[in-house]
Amino acid sequence: MEMIESIIGEINSIVWGPLMLVLILGVGLFLSLGLRLMPILKLGAGFKLLWRGRKVASGEETAGEISPFQALMTALSATVGTGNIAGVATAVFLGGPGALFWMWITALVGMATKYAEAVLAVKYREVDEEGNHVGGPMYYIKNGLGKKWAWLGMAFAIFGAIAGFGIGNTVQANSIASVMESNFGLPTWITGVVVMVLVGAVLIGGIRRIGHVAGALVPIMAVSYIVAGLVVLFINADQIPHALDLIFTHAFSPVAAEGGFAGAAVWMAIRFGVARGIFSNEAGLGSAPIAHAAAQNKSPVRQGLVAMLGTFIDTILICSITGLVIVTSGIWTGGESGAALTSAAFAQALPGLGNYLVAIALAIFAFTTIIGWSFYGERCVEYIFGVKAIAPYRVLWILAVPAGAVLSLDFIWLVADTLNAFMAIPNLIALLLLSPVVFQVTREFFAENKDL
C-alpha cells in the first residue's frame, strides 16, 4: 500500500506541477481576455437569467430535461462539497493564508472557463436513445473538433468515469463519516450505510430527481452556511483587516513556521490555492457542462451566463467565508488541518455550536456532491458503453459509498487530486481549440441582446 501511495504521490506532483497550473490559469485568462472580461462584467445579467430560469420559458420544453436553475443547482450540488470546508482548510494549512488569494484568482478566470464549457455543452449536445439530452467535453470534442480528436473525448470519459469515484464519491463519504464520528460519536460504517440508502433513493429517479433534490437542498444549505460564516466574521470583525493583510502578503512572500504550522513558500501558496480551488469549483475539469447540457435552454450563451455563477458562488462566496473564518480565528497555526481546522475556527467564535454547524453543513454538502457526481459518471459511462451501462454503474456507485466511509482519507484525497488533473487536460485542450466558436457565438448573442 505504501508503494502504491508513493507512486501516486509522484504522479500527483507531476500532473499538478507548474505546467498544469499554468495551463489552468492560462486557459482561464485567455478565455477571459478573448471574451473581454464579459463573465465578470455580466455577473448581474447571469443572476437575472438564473432568477428567470427557475421556470422554463415558453418553447423551451423540448430542449432538455431540467430547468436552467436546476441545471446550475445540479452543478453546484457536485461542486459545493468537502472542498469548500476541508479543502480550503487544507490549502491554508499547507500553503498559508496566501493560498486564499490564489483560490480567488483561479475563480475569477475560472468563471470564463465555466462559461465556455457550458456554451459548448449546449451547442454540441446530442439526444440519446432514451430521449435525454447528453453533453459535456466528450461530446463537444467529438462534434466540435471532428473524428481525428475522438480519442481525446474518449480519454475524458474514461478519466471522468473513474475520477467520479474519488472526487465525487469516496472522498465525500469519508468526510461525512469522519465528521459524524468526531462530533456525534456515530461509527463510520453506520454513516456509510445510511448515506448509501439515501443516495440510492435519489439515483433511482435519474436526472429529474437529482435536479429536484439539488434545486431544493443547494440554495438552503449554501445560504445557511454563508449566514453562519458571516455571524462568525461579525464576531471576529476586528481581525478581518489583519487577515486580509496576511492573505495578500503571503500570496507573494513566504510565511514562516509558527506553532503547529510548518511554514510555506510562495510556490506552496500558489500550488495548493489553485489545486484546492479547482477541486472546489471544478472550473476546467469539464464536469459541470455535463449537467448544463441537460438544461431546458436552447441558447448556449444564456446557459453559459447561468453556469459561470457556479464558480462565483462556490469560491468567491462560500470558500471565501471558510477561509476568512479560519484566518481571522488565528488558529490556522495550531497544527489542525482539513475539516477539523474549519470546525475549530467556527467553534472558537461560537462555542458549543460552531463545530456542529460545520459538521451538519459538511454532511449535507458532501451528500449532494455524491448525487451530482453520480450523474457525471453515468454520462461518461454512457458515452463509452451506451445507455445499457448506466444501471450497473449506479449499483457500483451506491456500493462505493460505504467503502469510502471507512477508508484512509489521505490516500483518497491523493487519488482524487491526481484523477482531477487527468480529467482537466483533455477538456482544457478542447476549450483552447474551440475558443473561436465560443467567442463568435458570444459576439452574435450580445449583438442581438443589447438589453443584457
Side-chain angles (χ1 to χ4, degrees):
M1 187 67 181
E2 282 183 17
M3 191 176 80
I4 294 170
E5 198 163 336
S6 175
I7 291 169
I8 294 174
E10 284 295 316
I11 296 169
N12 184 273
S13 65
I14 295 168
V15 295
W16 277 116
L19 192 62
M20 173 56 87
L21 302 191
V22 168
L23 186 61
I24 288 170
L25 292 177
V27 170
L29 184 60
F30 171 73
L31 291 169
S32 295
L33 295 174
L35 292 165
R36 298 173 188 174
L37 302 182
M38 181 278 294
I40 296 171
L41 298 174
K42 295 291 185 181
L43 196 61
F47 278 106
K48 189 159 68 174
L49 288 170
L50 175 65
W51 185 252
R52 286 185 202 160
R54 292 171 301 137
K55 295 179 181 177
V56 183
S58 176
E60 298 283 357
E61 289 81 358
T62 58
E65 287 67 55
I66 52 178
S67 71
F69 174 81
Q70 288 176 335
L72 178 63
M73 291 305 113
T74 301
L76 270 177
S77 75
T79 56
V80 178
T82 57
N84 299 79
I85 294 176
V88 174
T90 303
V92 172
F93 175 72
L94 295 173
L100 279 174
F101 174 84
W102 293 105
M103 285 185 85
W104 292 337
I105 295 299
T106 304
L108 288 175
V109 300
M111 285 172 63
T113 308
K114 193 74 71 89
Y115 167 82
E117 288 176 330
V119 166
L120 294 172
V122 174
K123 181 171 176 59
Y124 292 112
R125 65 185 174 181
E126 298 179 1
V127 178
D128 68 13
E129 55 197 86
E130 292 187 344
N132 294 315
H133 286 72
V134 292
M138 52 282 199
Y139 290 96
Y140 54 70
I141 288 171
K142 182 181 77 169
N143 297 329
L145 295 177
K147 288 183 179 178
K148 64 178 180 180
W149 291 96
W151 62 274
L152 195 65
M154 184 60 73
F156 175 88
I158 293 168
F159 292 138
I162 301 169
F165 284 99
I167 182 177
N169 189 318
T170 50
V171 162
Q172 311 297 333
N174 195 290
S175 296
I176 298 172
S178 178
V179 296
M180 286 298 165
E181 184 180 43
S182 59
N183 288 280
F184 303 104
L186 202 63
T188 54
W189 70 269
I190 290 179
T191 301
V193 171
V194 171
V195 176
M196 177 184 73
V197 171
L198 292 173
V199 168
V202 176
L203 296 196
I204 288 168
I207 182 57
R208 287 181 176 84
R209 176 84 59 84
I210 292 170
H212 284 301
V213 172
L217 268 182
V218 172
I220 294 170
M221 72 179 190
V223 170
S224 301
Y225 184 75
I226 289 169
V227 169
L230 289 174
V231 169
V232 173
L233 290 177
F234 179 77
I235 294 168
N236 296 343
D238 59 325
Q239 291 299 314
I240 292 175
H242 177 59
L244 291 171
D245 180 57
L246 286 173
I247 290 166
F248 286 103
T249 300
H250 293 305
F252 302 98
S253 64
V255 51
E258 181 187 343
F261 179 67
V266 175
W267 163 244
M268 291 170 73
I270 298 171
R271 184 251 189 268
F272 290 107
V274 175
R276 290 289 175 245
I278 294 299
F279 186 91
S280 177
N281 64 49
E282 298 177 15
L285 243 64
S287 50
I290 298 174
H292 289 288
Q296 291 167 319
N297 199 338
K298 290 178 180 175
S299 168
V301 172
R302 286 182 187 274
Q303 195 58 37
L305 288 166
V306 171
M308 71 187 191
L309 300 178
T311 302
F312 180 84
I313 293 167
D314 177 275
T315 307
I316 302 297
L317 293 182
I318 300 175
C319 285
S320 294
I321 290 286
T322 303
L324 285 170
V325 165
I326 290 169
V327 180
T328 56
S329 72
I331 62 172
W332 57 275
T333 58
E336 291 277 15
S337 182
L341 173 55
T342 307
S343 291
F346 271 83
Q348 186 193 59
L350 301 169
L353 177 64
N355 57 315
Y356 295 116
L357 282 173
V358 172
I360 293 166
L362 193 146
I364 297 172
F365 283 9
F367 172 71
T368 58
T369 297
I370 296 172
I371 294 169
W373 261 91
S374 69
F375 178 65
Y376 297 163
E378 281 182 19
R379 286 291 182 255
C380 288
V381 164
E382 179 184 343
Y383 183 82
I384 301 166
F385 301 109
V387 292
K388 63 182 183 296
I390 292 176
Y393 188 84
R394 277 185 192 167
V395 172
L396 281 176
W397 188 268
I398 293 165
L399 292 175
V401 172
V406 297
L407 289 174
S408 162
L409 180 64
D410 292 339
F411 181 68
I412 294 171
W413 269 104
L414 183 64
V415 173
D417 214 25
T418 307
L419 288 171
N420 277 2
F422 282 125
M423 276 182 72
I425 293 167
N427 182 52
L428 292 169
I429 292 170
L431 289 176
L432 278 175
L433 294 174
L434 290 170
S435 58
V437 177
V438 176
F439 300 153
Q440 182 183 353
V441 168
T442 305
R443 279 195 304 270
E444 289 172 355
F445 175 84
F446 283 107
E448 295 173 7
N449 297 271
K450 290 186 167 60
D451 57 317
L452 280 175

